[in-house]
Amino acid sequence: MSYQVVHSTFGRYRIRIPQLAHDSDFASKLKALVESLAFVTEVRINAQASSLIVSYQDDVCSTTALEKFVSCIQAAVDCVALDCVEIPLTESLPEGEDLKPEVNQWKDLGFPFLSLSLALLAAPLELPPLIVVLAIAGAATPWFNRAADSLLNQRQPNIDLLDSAWMTMQTVQGQFIAPALKTVLVEVRRTLRGNTTQTREELSSNLLNELDQYVWVELDGEEHHVHISNLHQGDRIIIRSGEMILVDGIVVYGYGLIDTQNLTGSSTPVVCSEGHDVYASTILLEGELCVLVKRIGLNTRAGLAAFLAELAPVHDTKIGALQAEFVRNAILPTLALGGTIYLMTGNIGAAISPYQFDFGSGIPISLSTTVLQALIYAVRHGIYIRSGGILEALAQIDAIVFDLDILALDSPETMEAIAILQGQNIDIYLVSDAPESIACDIATGLGIHPHQVCAEVPLKQKINLIRGLQHQGKIVAFVGDEEDEAVRLAHANVSISFAKTSEIPHRTTDVVILEDDLRGVTHAIAIAKRAMEIIYENTATIVIPNLFMQIGGGMVLGVNPVYNVIVNNGTAFIAEFLNGSRPLFETNFLPPLRSSSQRISQGNFASNGKALKQGELAKRLGVSSQSLTSKRLKPEFPIWTQARDPEGIAWDFDPVAKRYRHSLA
């Protein structure tokens, strides 16, 4: 079933389904199925636009909601095909706390700014304290409401209880500025977060609308104006100067200069000709191209990036869940700690200082910003990673099981990827239906020990291999065909496949490499590790200054609580809006993945294994000698050198010979 998410926002989806335009039976069954979902509030079918418009409760995870809608679409298709009576879906949404950070709008800042203004003017204008107290209470009402809701309805305290207690005690002491400033800074952060989210969703929606146009298709020597939804893999489209490329495809003939900034962020135009890959959302600045269609709409790199930007599937990480659990378990002990300090010292300021151990927003902030950035970065570089939880698991991979049948053994990129993974101390295993002698010979050629080959064995033994590695405490990835469902369900921590068709398997595979280039696996791991590094940096940025301020400043030195508020919110701002949104890598750190149409010989230089001195390699790569010195011992060095090598060659450093060699030599 073909479908495309053309617009989404909090609590609403618009999905284009071509079958709606001509199949009223399908439309009625689909409408009934979607309406049966408990969290759905409104369903509309627009047959002329082939669209399903669904409104749902805005506290429901958008990713989960979309999965349910897709299930309804497939169920409706099956019902029509089998001429069956529709059966409402009764599956409920999974329970669990939604870890999304709070967002606001500018209109929500009225009370906070009023309370801060009154707090600042209270002494000079001799304002009645009651007026200031009421203003602060009004600004803090959202905290009080959330704290009360958690206690009354969920039967457990949340982080808002600590904030509410802190602001109440500060106000009772006559410290008006600190709680008023807290409400302003927190609400400003939430508003900026909401605006950023809205802008991202609007850009994604606009991009999907731009990709939803008519194109010129070459058919039997003539050109036809066809809507992009009617294109199929293998069609040929004509693109002229000034037009946006609306598909991912391969140049059949022609020559052009392409602006890729919408997709890659690079402002340098790219020259393309016959055999080069081109991607949706890029713009043909000069020339004319005939492009063979590979993917359209939501299955293009740009479409997948927009899909991820709108859904933001970043709240399923273990680190986020553990942090949320830690915060829940720490609330009552923190309240008790404050009471103990007061009984021992009689100092209310020192007693309530621990209530600002507010690390409850630290990790979710670093997750929501950094993980989403990493997912979008990956898919723009040809790697679709389904969610933040998968990204987290990728960073921890220490064993990979490859299905031998999917490896492009004649590709130098395959050997290069294996070498890079082994250089990162990742154990490599092969499973195959081929005879053991053949599989072992292939493994030896790839640099894999024959003892790590599982050949001529039934499926169950392959599954046992994965489970056995996990029993040893390893985080295991399985790289195989997307149709190999049995192995994928063998509880491999991450399943990886290559996109063999124009449709990307959004729900069945954890990671999809969009090109048939095994280096996509190494790229995915590199992106995941870098994202987790930034998350840990963000966490340290928040936790360390706050610990010093709460313990040293608030509890020992009695620092004015205003500084407490500034440190608390300032570090969170840095983590979310500055550090968390910085580029993952420098430009062209990851060499582009190659499809089969792009593969070229590495040439005699690559095959002779020639060793280069540092100065020679620096000149070849166009970098300084100092750059090589600082990077040559890092595991990502082969990837870094390959991105700069004029022939796309990856290099390793031999510390004994003090020379650089081709990584496959």
Side-chain angles (χ1 to χ4, degrees):
M1 164 54 63
S2 174
Y3 71 90
Q4 178 184 6
V5 177
V6 295
H7 179 71
S8 72
T9 186
F10 289 120
R12 188 175 183 273
Y13 270 108
R14 181 161 65 91
I15 305 173
R16 177 170 289 115
I17 310 170
Q19 189 169 341
L20 290 173
H22 56 78
D23 192 336
S24 59
D25 188 25
F26 167 75
S28 62
K29 285 181 168 58
L30 176 60
K31 188 172 187 293
L33 286 167
V34 176
E35 285 177 337
S36 70
L37 297 173
F39 61 93
V40 170
T41 58
E42 181 184 5
V43 181
R44 291 190 296 113
I45 299 288
N46 186 335
Q48 293 182 339
S50 304
S51 293
L52 167 70
I53 303 96
V54 187
S55 298
Y56 60 95
Q57 298 169 6
D58 56 11
D59 60 343
V60 170
C61 175
S62 57
T63 306
T64 305
L66 181 60
E67 290 181 353
K68 301 302 177 186
F69 300 152
V70 173
S71 297
C72 289
I73 294 171
Q74 188 58 55
V77 172
D78 295 341
C79 277
V80 171
L82 299 175
D83 194 25
C84 63
V85 178
E86 58 227 46
I87 303 175
L89 301 180
T90 58
E91 182 181 2
S92 60
L93 289 169
E95 296 181 359
E97 181 178 0
D98 191 349
L99 299 178
K100 290 183 180 179
E102 295 283 342
V103 296
N104 282 343
Q105 299 178 347
W106 289 114
K107 63 182 179 61
D108 298 316
L109 295 176
F111 252 127
F113 273 107
L114 175 62
S115 67
L116 180 59
S117 300
L118 293 176
L120 292 171
L121 296 174
L125 299 182
E126 298 183 354
L127 297 176
L130 181 60
I131 295 178
V132 184
V133 170
L134 290 176
I136 294 174
T141 296
W143 277 272
F144 298 143
N145 289 340
R146 288 192 296 266
D149 178 72
S150 182
L151 286 172
L152 297 175
N153 297 326
Q154 301 179 29
R155 305 297 181 184
Q156 62 181 11
N158 63 6
I159 196 68
D160 293 300
L161 181 61
L162 290 179
D163 287 329
S164 299
W166 185 86
M167 287 187 287
T168 299
M169 298 306 296
Q170 292 290 357
T171 304
V172 168
Q173 292 184 96
Q175 293 281 0
F176 298 148
I177 295 178
L181 180 62
K182 179 180 179 69
T183 63
V184 168
L185 294 181
V186 171
E187 298 301 337
V188 165
R189 282 170 43 215
R190 290 175 175 172
T191 301
L192 291 175
R193 188 182 307 135
N195 286 351
T196 300
T197 300
Q198 183 178 358
T199 300
R200 184 183 69 236
E201 291 180 345
E202 289 177 353
L203 290 174
S204 300
S205 178
N206 291 339
L207 175 59
L208 290 176
N209 288 333
E210 288 179 350
L211 297 180
D212 187 28
Q213 299 181 27
Y214 283 81
V215 295
W216 289 102
V217 178
E218 184 184 82
L219 184 62
D220 298 330
E222 298 182 354
E223 294 184 13
H224 302 268
H225 211 208
V226 176
H227 191 269
I228 194 169
S229 62
N230 295 321
L231 287 181
H232 299 90
Q233 185 179 21
D235 287 343
R236 296 186 175 194
I237 65 172
I238 304 299
I239 304 164
R240 296 182 172 85
S241 177
E243 295 180 347
M244 176 180 285
I245 299 174
L246 305 180
V247 303
D248 286 358
I250 305 169
V251 177
V252 179
Y253 62 81
Y255 182 87
L257 188 66
I258 294 179
D259 178 2
T260 64
Q261 190 164 10
N262 286 341
L263 185 66
T264 66
S266 174
S267 58
T268 304
V270 176
V271 176
C272 68
S273 56
E274 180 181 344
H276 283 85
D277 285 344
V278 295
Y279 303 103
S281 80
T282 59
I283 298 173
L284 183 61
L285 300 176
E286 299 177 6
E288 181 173 319
L289 301 174
C290 177
V291 173
L292 186 72
V293 176
K294 291 173 61 177
R295 300 186 185 94
I296 65 170
L298 199 60
N299 293 296
T300 63
R301 293 189 182 189
L304 287 168
F307 173 79
L308 289 170
E310 289 188 346
L311 297 186
V314 299
H315 303 291
D316 62 342
T317 58
K318 291 182 180 179
I319 188 173
L322 290 173
Q323 181 267 348
E325 184 66 22
F326 169 79
V327 170
R328 284 193 294 268
N329 293 334
I331 292 172
L332 292 180
T334 302
L335 289 170
L337 174 63
T340 302
I341 293 174
Y342 180 72
L343 291 175
M344 294 175 61
T345 66
N347 186 333
I348 189 65
I352 64 175
S353 184
Y355 297 174
Q356 284 295 281
F357 282 160
D358 184 8
F359 306 142
S361 60
I363 295 179
I365 286 173
S366 60
L367 282 172
S368 61
T369 305
T370 304
V371 172
L372 182 59
Q373 181 199 15
L375 296 181
I376 294 175
Y377 178 92
V379 79
R380 285 175 172 170
H381 287 77
I383 306 158
Y384 172 74
I385 302 174
R386 185 160 53 87
S387 71
I390 303 304
L391 185 82
E392 181 184 40
L394 276 171
Q396 302 169 7
I397 293 295
D398 48 21
I400 301 180
V401 178
F402 287 97
D403 185 336
L404 184 59
D405 295 337
I406 60 94
L407 296 181
L409 300 177
D410 59 343
S411 166
E413 289 84 15
T414 297
M415 293 189 65
E416 182 180 327
I418 296 293
I420 291 173
L421 293 170
Q422 291 174 327
Q424 296 175 348
N425 295 320
I426 296 176
D427 295 331
I428 306 298
Y429 296 83
L430 291 182
V431 295
S432 175
D433 295 329
E436 184 173 359
S437 59
I438 296 177
C440 288
D441 288 343
I442 293 174
T444 301
L446 293 173
I448 301 172
H449 197 283
H451 290 168
Q452 294 172 277
V453 176
C454 187
E456 288 188 289
V457 293
L459 176 62
K460 184 177 181 180
Q461 190 166 336
K462 298 178 184 179
I463 294 175
N464 288 339
L465 170 63
I466 296 175
R467 290 176 173 169
L469 292 171
Q470 291 175 325
H471 186 69
Q472 298 173 27
K474 295 183 180 295
I475 306 299
V476 184
F478 173 74
V479 183
D481 194 282
E482 63 190 45
E483 300 299 328
D484 199 350
E485 189 71 20
V487 178
R488 187 159 51 250
L489 293 179
H491 305 294
N493 300 91
V494 179
S495 62
I496 304 174
S497 68
F498 294 87
K500 299 299 184 182
T501 67
S502 61
E503 297 287 331
I504 306 302
H506 297 282
R507 302 175 57 202
T508 57
T509 305
D510 297 326
V511 179
V512 182
I513 312 300
L514 303 184
E515 309 296 345
D516 50 349
D517 186 336
L518 195 64
R519 293 176 304 166
V521 177
T522 67
H523 287 15
I525 293 174
I527 291 169
K529 288 184 175 180
R530 181 56 186 147
M532 296 309 295
E533 286 177 3
I534 295 177
I535 288 171
Y536 296 138
E537 290 172 6
N538 286 343
T539 302
T541 298
I542 294 173
V543 170
I544 295 175
N546 274 274
L547 281 175
F548 277 107
M549 177 56 67
Q550 313 312 328
I551 297 177
M555 296 173 60
V556 177
L557 301 178
V559 172
N560 191 303
V562 169
Y563 297 109
N564 181 312
V565 172
I566 292 174
V567 169
N568 189 282
N569 287 275
T571 53
F573 183 91
I574 291 172
E576 180 173 10
F577 298 105
L578 298 181
N579 194 45
S581 59
R582 68 182 180 178
L584 285 175
F585 301 105
E586 57 186 272
T587 305
N588 296 328
F589 180 86
L590 298 177
L593 301 181
R594 298 182 183 181
S595 67
S596 56
S597 65
Q598 292 180 304
R599 293 223 169 87
I600 59 173
S601 171
Q602 296 287 357
N604 294 331
F605 186 88
S607 62
N608 62 22
K610 180 180 178 181
L612 298 183
K613 297 180 180 179
Q614 182 152 311
E616 294 174 332
L617 182 60
K619 182 177 180 180
R620 176 181 176 85
L621 301 182
V623 300
S624 66
S625 181
Q626 291 81 358
S627 297
L628 295 180
T629 301
S630 65
K631 297 179 181 295
R632 64 191 183 186
L633 296 180
K634 295 183 178 181
E636 64 268 24
F637 182 71
I639 298 176
W640 183 81
T641 56
Q642 185 185 40
R644 290 156 178 77
D645 190 279
E647 296 182 56
I649 299 173
W651 297 86
D652 278 329
F653 177 64
D654 184 344
V656 177
K658 302 296 183 184
R659 293 290 190 272
Y660 295 86
R661 303 181 187 278
H662 180 235
S663 64
L664 301 182

